[in-house]
Amino acid sequence: QVQLVESGGGLVQPGGSLRLSCVASVSIIDISAMGWYRQAPGKQRELVAIIPTGGRTNYADSVKGRFTISRENAKNTVYLQMNDLKPEDTAVYYCYLRWGPRGYWGQGTQVTVSS
């Protein structure tokens, strides 16, 4: 099984920044894509950002210009840099990895944006 370990969540004020990290137990060179989803209270899980191997990054419209996804292959890690955070960004953020036809999820990390 593929294991995904997430970190970096926390409580920040509006306008603040956080960087989420997701470390995979496999070489991310060999996978199809990695990304981040989030689930806010009372809402469905939604795509935040995804970075396919050798492909174009994709962001939700609500985070474009504020969030940046990146990969550090040597550390088998995907990051989500979140700037200018807004209260509506409050959610549990989940790392996602796709390897061929299979998808894997991290345990989630809480991000709370509140003054």
Side-chain angles (χ1 to χ4, degrees):
Q1 266 289 332
V2 174
Q3 301 292 326
L4 303 173
V5 180
E6 304 166 15
S7 62
L11 173 64
V12 296
Q13 295 186 4
S17 297
L18 286 173
R19 188 177 75 159
L20 307 183
S21 299
C22 174
V23 181
S25 63
V26 297
S27 173
I28 62 174
I29 292 291
D30 300 322
I31 56 90
S32 300
M34 290 189 72
W36 294 90
Y37 289 72
R38 68 186 181 187
Q39 186 170 7
K43 297 184 178 180
Q44 297 297 312
R45 182 180 58 196
E46 64 175 350
L47 175 69
V48 177
I50 193 162
I51 179 168
T53 300
R56 180 193 297 267
T57 58
N58 183 264
Y59 297 92
D61 288 341
S62 59
V63 307
K64 287 181 179 178
R66 300 188 296 119
F67 291 11
T68 303
I69 188 170
S70 61
R71 293 168 60 156
E72 190 170 358
N73 292 336
K75 295 183 177 180
N76 297 328
T77 301
V78 171
Y79 303 98
L80 184 67
Q81 178 67 46
M82 304 185 293
N83 298 324
D84 191 24
L85 283 160
K86 302 176 179 180
E88 52 263 44
D89 296 318
T90 295
V92 177
Y93 284 70
Y94 296 93
C95 183
Y96 173 79
L97 180 151
R98 186 171 182 85
W99 191 357
R102 302 191 66 180
Y104 303 87
W105 295 96
Q107 81 285 357
T109 184
Q110 177 70 47
V111 172
T112 302
V113 185
S114 177
S115 59

